[in-house]
Amino acid sequence: MSENFKTSRRGFLRGAAASTALVAGASQADTPDPLITEVQDWASGLGEGVDATPYGLPIEFESDVIRRNVEWLTADTISSINFTPIHALDGTITPQGCAFERHHSGAIELSKQDYRLMINGLVDTPLIFSYADLERFPRENHVYFCECAANTGMEWAGAQLNGAQFTHGMIHNMEYTGVPLRTILEEAGLGAAGDLADKWVYVEGADASSNGRSIPMEKALDDVLVAFKANGEALRKEHGYPVRLVVPGWEGNMWVKWLRRVEVTDGPVESREETSKYTDTLADGTSRKWTWAMDAKSVVTSPSPQAPITHGSGPLVISGLAWSGRGAVTRVDVSKDGGKTWETARLAKPGEKMALTRFYLDTDWNGEEMFLQSRAMDETGYVQPTKAQLREVRGLNSIYHNNCIQTWWVRPDGEAENVEVS
Amino acid sequence: APAFSEGYGLGRAALPEEIAAWDLDVSPDGTGLPPGSGDVLTGEEVFADQCAACHGDFAEGVDNWPKLAGGWDTLADDDPLKTVGSYWPHLSTTWDYVNRSMPFGAAQTLEPDDVYAIVAYILYSNDLVDEDFVLSDENLASFEMPNADGFIVDDRKETEFSQWVGEPCMTDCKDTVEVTMRALVLDVTPQEEGTVTQAVAEPEAAPEEVV
């Protein structure tokens, strides 16, 4: 079996489908199944002891459910991106170990002992906190998505990468534990800042890139979290250990990792990451700046190019993710004919604000080709646009904030391809 | 929590030396700049030593590394080239970013005068100053960048939301659906082990880089 472990799940399932093709539906087996009629090793011998794996990884059969990078996207792998295997996941919580990474000078190693957080600028008393100090403030727990501003960015000019992991995988969704930024700012005292309406905070990381960003005070005092736990445990090194900023609904770049300083300022710093980068150029050559919120978006994760249909016609679960940076997802529609007709999908749970929402359309596939699309709506009434609608307003060179409707062309053999349709 | 209405008493006061060590950011009005200066010719030497291996002798960029010069009047083109000269709105950002985060792999090793000189050289490489130009904390904030007026604040609420709200079409939404673009034709997706390559044709165009 060990050689089989190295093949992808897709290859594995293809083989399985070929050998059990007649099992689909309520058909009758001709011969008894030896997996049932013969005593298997695991039903007779012993498995691993409880001391074998103090901290476990997924079973090797799932070895294709991993982060992947695309070499040609960046000059090197240090200031670069990788992708969450959303095609293979279900539910909404992203396992931290395969949740995407985006660094500008690599994933640094910063211990809790060496960690310091500075609050300075227009505050009554500039303060230094140790990691232990942060754990003594009252905590909150929230689930939020973190989506890179560039997610789906390679698709502006056309259908480029063949898989939901690559087209939509610059995203993860975790349950964060942390202290509201408001609490920490108030500890330093905001009296010195005067009228808070026109004030900003500048946040930066401890890494060489610093990733400094300016955030208006209104957002800083609303729902921004100084987080130290994700999905129950400490942040992973690559996600900002020991402390990161969580900025609900806003572009991932602002979720500053290895957070070391928060400065209250009179105005935006207009740092590199909010001038050269994370500004969106329109067709006429002018560019939008401060496009913070991530708009309503969705994608069918299965079937998709990396998750083809291997079971033939009959019952089919069409599954996907929807999210909005402006509130809760209220509805997702799915089309099987490229947008001619739509059916409203079932939300696995009611949508939560600024968090991933899982949707399902339980359907009966007749074995004919499909052009699968999903269309999210959020509580503001906003309906996820087509790529043509987005291009109409923005042109082709916005780079960031591509929340267009995605199309997968599913063919009779069950294989799926990333396409654009008229 | 009434007992803590005056705060929790956590943390300690930051010392001036500590703030000075970490608070390095420079705003468009020049706030945060340290005293110092540097000229183009000095910058050319420092740039050759510290920057040119990746960014090229003339800031034109090597391989996939960022181009810092060129691209004037290309922002409305099909393939805009965004550099310090063609795109960046404030000179403060260049000083701030070079000072804090460059050279890549050895950040925060430059003296302020070196940073002034490097930024002066980048301006020169963009044909924005003559070779006798001297940049300093006195004149940096008043330097006008070509694309200073090229940015607007996020206007999605006005230009997009009004179009894309309300009950969407559910049936008979369009007559025909035709494939206009296919990822497999471009064939630039990393292949997973064990899968069959399904490319149907040679790549038609270079893939679009984003990150």
Side-chain angles (χ1 to χ4, degrees), chain B residues 11-76:
Chain B
R12 63 160 175 87
L15 300 175
E17 298 88 338
E18 293 170 329
I19 294 171
W22 275 10
D23 183 354
L24 303 174
D25 57 83
V26 178
S27 293
D29 67 1
T31 303
L33 278 174
S37 66
D39 59 66
V40 169
L41 293 179
T42 305
E44 185 173 23
E45 285 174 33
V46 182
F47 196 89
D49 285 347
Q50 304 275 351
C51 320
C54 296
H55 295 296
D57 290 338
F58 308 102
E60 79 283 14
V62 174
D63 298 334
N64 252 352
W65 295 101
K67 298 166 173 58
L68 309 181
W72 308 286
D73 299 323
T74 65
L75 298 180

XYZ file of all heavy atoms in Angstrom, chain B residues 11-76:
474
model
N 1.091 46.605 32.004
C 2.120 47.235 31.188
C 2.928 48.223 32.012
O 2.678 48.426 33.198
N 3.910 48.830 31.369
C 4.724 49.858 32.032
C 4.961 50.991 31.053
O 4.787 50.813 29.836
C 6.064 49.266 32.494
C 6.929 48.774 31.329
C 8.400 48.652 31.731
N 9.210 48.082 30.657
C 9.772 48.802 29.682
N 9.592 50.123 29.606
N 10.511 48.216 28.760
N 5.353 52.129 31.564
C 5.593 53.273 30.684
C 6.759 52.985 29.736
O 7.784 52.420 30.144
C 5.905 54.515 31.516
N 6.596 53.375 28.485
C 7.675 53.221 27.503
C 8.703 54.330 27.716
O 8.338 55.490 27.947
C 7.107 53.287 26.089
N 9.970 53.974 27.634
C 11.029 54.971 27.782
C 11.294 55.671 26.449
O 11.086 55.077 25.388
C 12.314 54.306 28.275
C 12.184 53.600 29.623
C 13.478 52.863 29.973
C 11.836 54.616 30.718
N 11.761 56.914 26.510
C 12.025 57.657 25.262
C 12.974 56.922 24.314
O 12.773 56.933 23.098
C 12.663 58.965 25.749
C 12.202 59.107 27.159
C 12.024 57.716 27.705
N 13.985 56.251 24.874
C 14.930 55.516 24.019
C 14.236 54.361 23.293
O 14.576 54.032 22.158
C 16.083 54.944 24.854
C 16.930 55.991 25.550
C 16.396 56.371 26.935
O 15.181 56.159 27.204
O 17.186 56.884 27.740
N 13.289 53.749 23.984
C 12.573 52.625 23.379
C 11.664 53.107 22.248
O 11.598 52.490 21.174
C 11.752 51.899 24.450
C 12.641 51.206 25.500
C 11.852 50.693 26.699
O 10.810 51.306 27.064
O 12.286 49.692 27.287
N 10.974 54.195 22.503
C 10.110 54.748 21.452
C 10.959 55.169 20.248
O 10.622 54.883 19.094
C 9.297 55.935 21.999
C 8.321 55.438 23.074
C 8.534 56.640 20.871
C 7.610 56.545 23.832
N 12.100 55.810 20.526
C 12.965 56.257 19.424
C 13.473 55.078 18.603
O 13.657 55.186 17.387
C 14.146 57.054 19.992
N 13.704 53.939 19.265
C 14.239 52.771 18.555
C 13.207 52.138 17.622
O 13.562 51.607 16.564
C 14.726 51.735 19.561
N 11.959 52.190 17.998
C 10.933 51.486 17.215
C 10.047 52.410 16.386
O 9.533 51.989 15.354
C 10.056 50.636 18.156
C 10.651 49.280 18.451
C 11.910 48.847 18.144
C 9.983 48.186 19.095
N 12.064 47.552 18.562
C 10.904 47.111 19.151
C 8.713 47.998 19.646
C 10.585 45.872 19.727
C 8.406 46.767 20.216
C 9.329 45.714 20.255
N 9.824 53.620 16.847
C 8.924 54.528 16.103
C 9.719 55.226 15.017
O 10.256 56.314 15.209
C 8.300 55.547 17.067
C 7.298 56.450 16.352
O 7.189 56.346 15.107
O 6.642 57.249 17.021
N 9.800 54.561 13.851
C 10.627 55.067 12.757
C 9.800 55.585 11.591
O 10.343 56.101 10.622
C 11.541 53.934 12.246
C 12.463 53.282 13.284
C 13.180 52.092 12.667
C 13.472 54.300 13.817
N 8.467 55.425 11.644
C 7.677 55.725 10.465
C 7.720 57.208 10.110
O 7.810 58.079 10.969
C 6.234 55.251 10.638
C 5.552 55.850 11.844
O 5.045 56.979 11.746
O 5.543 55.188 12.907
N 7.676 57.462 8.817
C 7.741 58.825 8.282
C 6.448 59.099 7.514
O 6.057 58.316 6.652
C 8.951 58.990 7.345
C 8.975 60.395 6.750
C 10.241 58.706 8.096
N 5.797 60.203 7.840
C 4.533 60.561 7.200
C 4.780 61.481 6.010
O 5.862 62.060 5.873
C 3.618 61.254 8.215
O 3.234 60.323 9.213
N 3.769 61.607 5.125
C 3.950 62.445 3.928
C 4.429 63.868 4.234
O 5.169 64.457 3.438
C 2.547 62.453 3.310
C 1.975 61.127 3.697
C 2.484 60.870 5.090
N 4.047 64.422 5.393
C 4.492 65.790 5.722
C 5.905 65.822 6.299
O 6.384 66.874 6.728
C 3.506 66.454 6.688
C 3.491 65.785 8.059
O 4.269 64.814 8.277
O 2.712 66.229 8.919
N 6.572 64.674 6.325
C 7.960 64.626 6.781
C 8.109 64.292 8.256
O 9.238 64.091 8.734
N 6.985 64.224 8.973
C 7.058 63.870 10.387
C 7.773 62.535 10.547
O 7.409 61.555 9.891
C 5.634 63.757 10.990
O 4.973 64.990 10.791
C 5.700 63.416 12.467
N 8.784 62.501 11.405
C 9.519 61.272 11.657
C 10.867 61.207 10.968
O 11.667 60.321 11.252
N 11.141 62.171 10.070
C 12.442 62.149 9.388
C 13.557 62.551 10.349
O 13.441 63.571 11.037
C 12.448 63.130 8.214
C 11.836 62.686 6.894
C 11.824 63.866 5.926
C 12.591 61.501 6.303
N 14.656 61.823 10.378
C 15.815 62.267 11.171
C 16.615 63.287 10.369
O 16.517 63.339 9.140
C 16.607 60.978 11.358
C 16.305 60.174 10.146
C 14.891 60.528 9.738
N 17.405 64.117 11.071
C 18.270 65.054 10.347
C 19.248 64.282 9.465
O 19.677 63.192 9.827
C 19.036 65.794 11.463
C 18.328 65.464 12.730
C 17.598 64.184 12.529
N 19.585 64.866 8.313
C 20.545 64.206 7.435
C 20.334 64.609 5.998
O 19.367 65.298 5.668
N 21.249 64.160 5.134
C 21.135 64.462 3.714
C 22.004 63.495 2.914
O 22.865 62.803 3.468
C 21.575 65.910 3.432
O 22.955 66.049 3.690
N 21.735 63.462 1.619
C 22.529 62.622 0.725
C 22.327 63.084 -0.702
O 21.240 63.546 -1.053
N 23.396 62.971 -1.530
C 23.274 63.426 -2.910
C 23.229 62.241 -3.876
O 23.466 61.091 -3.497
C 24.429 64.366 -3.266
C 25.767 63.696 -3.095
O 26.054 62.751 -3.848
O 26.515 64.095 -2.157
N 22.943 62.548 -5.127
C 22.744 61.520 -6.145
C 23.993 60.675 -6.336
O 23.913 59.434 -6.409
C 22.317 62.176 -7.483
C 22.371 61.158 -8.618
C 20.933 62.794 -7.357
N 25.158 61.307 -6.434
C 26.371 60.547 -6.745
C 26.766 59.621 -5.605
O 27.191 58.486 -5.827
C 27.511 61.494 -7.113
C 27.264 62.241 -8.436
C 28.413 63.203 -8.749
C 27.059 61.261 -9.594
N 26.592 60.089 -4.361
C 26.805 59.190 -3.224
C 25.806 58.044 -3.286
O 26.141 56.875 -3.066
C 26.627 59.950 -1.888
O 27.499 61.086 -1.891
C 26.949 59.054 -0.708
N 24.570 58.407 -3.616
C 23.522 57.394 -3.709
C 23.837 56.344 -4.754
O 23.550 55.153 -4.569
N 24.423 56.765 -5.865
C 24.779 55.819 -6.920
C 25.747 54.761 -6.387
O 25.613 53.568 -6.671
C 25.412 56.569 -8.095
C 25.704 55.676 -9.282
C 26.169 56.472 -10.493
O 26.671 57.604 -10.295
O 26.028 55.971 -11.621
N 26.713 55.217 -5.561
C 27.691 54.273 -4.984
C 27.034 53.338 -3.980
O 27.243 52.125 -4.008
C 28.818 55.045 -4.268
C 29.808 55.684 -5.206
C 30.807 56.548 -4.429
O 31.130 56.178 -3.271
O 31.215 57.587 -4.968
N 26.228 53.910 -3.079
C 25.577 53.075 -2.065
C 24.619 52.093 -2.732
O 24.552 50.917 -2.368
C 24.823 53.946 -1.035
C 24.192 53.077 0.044
C 25.756 54.979 -0.418
N 23.899 52.593 -3.721
C 22.947 51.745 -4.445
C 23.669 50.580 -5.126
O 23.200 49.434 -5.088
C 22.182 52.584 -5.480
C 20.935 51.929 -6.006
C 19.715 52.113 -5.359
C 20.967 51.131 -7.139
C 18.544 51.506 -5.840
C 19.805 50.518 -7.622
C 18.599 50.717 -6.964
N 24.823 50.884 -5.723
C 25.595 49.827 -6.395
C 26.008 48.747 -5.393
O 25.955 47.551 -5.696
C 26.823 50.424 -7.072
N 26.390 49.163 -4.189
C 26.826 48.210 -3.162
C 25.659 47.436 -2.554
O 25.748 46.239 -2.316
C 27.530 48.953 -2.006
C 28.920 49.402 -2.396
O 29.407 48.921 -3.438
O 29.498 50.217 -1.666
N 24.592 48.146 -2.254
C 23.539 47.592 -1.390
C 22.292 47.116 -2.137
O 21.542 46.317 -1.590
C 23.100 48.663 -0.370
C 24.222 49.214 0.478
C 24.495 48.333 1.687
O 23.742 47.415 1.973
N 25.590 48.616 2.392
N 22.047 47.643 -3.327
C 20.721 47.459 -3.934
C 20.746 46.872 -5.338
O 19.795 46.193 -5.758
C 19.988 48.809 -4.013
S 20.197 49.871 -2.551
N 21.829 47.151 -6.096
C 21.815 46.887 -7.536
C 21.750 45.400 -7.879
O 21.283 45.033 -8.966
C 23.031 47.527 -8.205
N 22.198 44.520 -6.966
C 22.185 43.088 -7.266
C 20.771 42.610 -7.592
O 20.586 41.712 -8.412
C 22.750 42.304 -6.088
N 19.785 43.197 -6.934
C 18.387 42.834 -7.218
C 17.681 43.882 -8.089
O 16.892 43.551 -8.958
C 17.584 42.675 -5.927
S 18.158 41.331 -4.876
N 17.940 45.151 -7.797
C 17.155 46.204 -8.453
C 17.844 46.782 -9.692
O 17.283 47.672 -10.337
C 16.851 47.338 -7.458
C 15.952 46.902 -6.325
N 14.665 46.495 -6.517
C 16.176 46.807 -4.989
C 14.112 46.168 -5.344
N 15.014 46.341 -4.403
N 19.053 46.283 -10.021
C 19.734 46.740 -11.231
C 20.524 48.019 -11.005
O 20.221 48.809 -10.107
N 21.542 48.243 -11.837
C 22.415 49.428 -11.682
C 21.636 50.728 -11.822
O 21.988 51.746 -11.234
C 23.530 49.406 -12.743
C 24.539 48.303 -12.461
O 24.616 47.869 -11.295
O 25.222 47.866 -13.414
N 20.577 50.684 -12.612
C 19.815 51.911 -12.870
C 18.411 51.835 -12.275
O 17.485 52.484 -12.745
C 19.753 52.168 -14.386
C 21.103 52.145 -15.026
C 21.542 51.030 -15.740
C 21.958 53.232 -14.892
C 22.802 51.008 -16.312
C 23.230 53.210 -15.467
C 23.653 52.095 -16.169
N 18.252 50.951 -11.256
C 16.973 50.762 -10.562
C 15.908 50.192 -11.482
O 14.712 50.297 -11.208
C 16.491 52.075 -9.911
N 16.381 49.548 -12.582
C 15.449 49.026 -13.576
C 14.980 47.616 -13.248
O 14.111 47.072 -13.934
C 16.099 49.074 -14.969
C 17.092 47.947 -15.275
C 18.475 48.113 -14.632
O 18.631 48.950 -13.720
O 19.406 47.385 -15.040
N 15.552 46.986 -12.181
C 15.109 45.667 -11.757
C 15.827 44.543 -12.474
O 16.072 44.622 -13.674
N 16.203 43.498 -11.706
C 16.834 42.306 -12.260
C 15.827 41.161 -12.162
O 15.197 40.973 -11.127
C 18.114 41.951 -11.469
C 18.695 40.615 -11.946
C 19.150 43.064 -11.596
N 15.692 40.405 -13.235
C 14.743 39.275 -13.269
C 13.369 39.713 -12.760
O 12.833 40.707 -13.221
C 15.279 38.097 -12.449
C 16.598 37.571 -13.021
O 16.819 37.737 -14.233
O 17.400 37.012 -12.251
N 12.860 38.956 -11.769
C 11.523 39.254 -11.238
C 11.535 40.275 -10.109
O 10.495 40.577 -9.530
C 10.889 37.955 -10.720
C 9.772 37.476 -11.616
O 9.376 38.177 -12.538
N 9.254 36.295 -11.342
N 12.729 40.780 -9.745
C 12.796 41.714 -8.616
C 12.203 43.058 -9.017
O 12.222 43.425 -10.185
C 14.245 41.865 -8.147
C 14.783 40.571 -7.598
C 15.604 39.684 -8.237
C 14.493 40.000 -6.318
N 15.851 38.601 -7.430
C 15.190 38.759 -6.254
C 13.729 40.388 -5.224
C 15.128 37.929 -5.127
C 13.674 39.565 -4.112
C 14.368 38.352 -4.069
N 11.685 43.783 -8.038
C 10.926 45.013 -8.372
C 11.747 46.055 -9.132
O 12.906 46.313 -8.825
C 10.522 45.545 -6.995
C 10.471 44.339 -6.115
C 11.583 43.449 -6.605
N 11.087 46.631 -10.130
C 11.642 47.771 -10.856
C 11.307 49.023 -10.077
O 10.152 49.230 -9.687
C 11.026 47.846 -12.255
C 11.315 46.622 -13.116
C 10.412 46.603 -14.348
C 10.797 45.476 -15.300
N 10.750 44.133 -14.665
N 12.306 49.867 -9.815
C 12.083 51.089 -9.034
C 11.975 52.316 -9.921
O 11.604 53.388 -9.468
C 13.230 51.287 -8.030
C 13.564 50.078 -7.138
C 14.694 50.429 -6.185
C 12.339 49.609 -6.378
N 12.337 52.162 -11.185
C 12.328 53.304 -12.107
C 11.658 52.922 -13.416
O 11.616 51.753 -13.784
C 13.762 53.776 -12.377
N 11.142 53.930 -14.096
C 10.509 53.718 -15.404
C 8.992 53.656 -15.293
O 8.416 53.881 -14.229
N 8.370 53.355 -16.424
C 6.917 53.171 -16.427
C 6.099 54.443 -16.480
O 4.886 54.402 -16.271
N 6.741 55.577 -16.805
C 5.992 56.835 -16.825
C 4.855 56.772 -17.827
O 5.017 56.246 -18.932
C 6.935 58.007 -17.158
C 8.128 57.988 -16.258
C 8.168 58.338 -14.938
C 9.447 57.503 -16.602
N 9.434 58.115 -14.437
C 10.231 57.613 -15.420
C 10.019 57.002 -17.751
C 11.582 57.229 -15.390
C 11.357 56.610 -17.713
C 12.117 56.744 -16.544
N 3.733 57.293 -17.454
C 2.549 57.359 -18.333
C 2.075 55.988 -18.813
O 1.594 55.848 -19.942
C 2.833 58.256 -19.561
C 3.151 59.670 -19.143
O 2.537 60.149 -18.164
O 4.036 60.283 -19.770
N 2.229 54.965 -17.991
C 1.741 53.633 -18.394
C 0.549 53.175 -17.549
O 0.045 52.073 -17.746
C 2.842 52.562 -18.240
O 3.167 52.425 -16.845
C 4.085 52.907 -19.036
N 0.104 54.014 -16.604
C -0.876 53.525 -15.624
C -2.218 53.173 -16.248
O -2.947 52.337 -15.716
C -1.063 54.542 -14.496
C 0.209 54.817 -13.662
C -0.078 55.842 -12.577
C 0.763 53.530 -13.065
N -2.532 53.788 -17.392
C -3.799 53.458 -18.056
C -3.588 52.442 -19.174
O -4.517 52.110 -19.904
C -4.440 54.720 -18.615
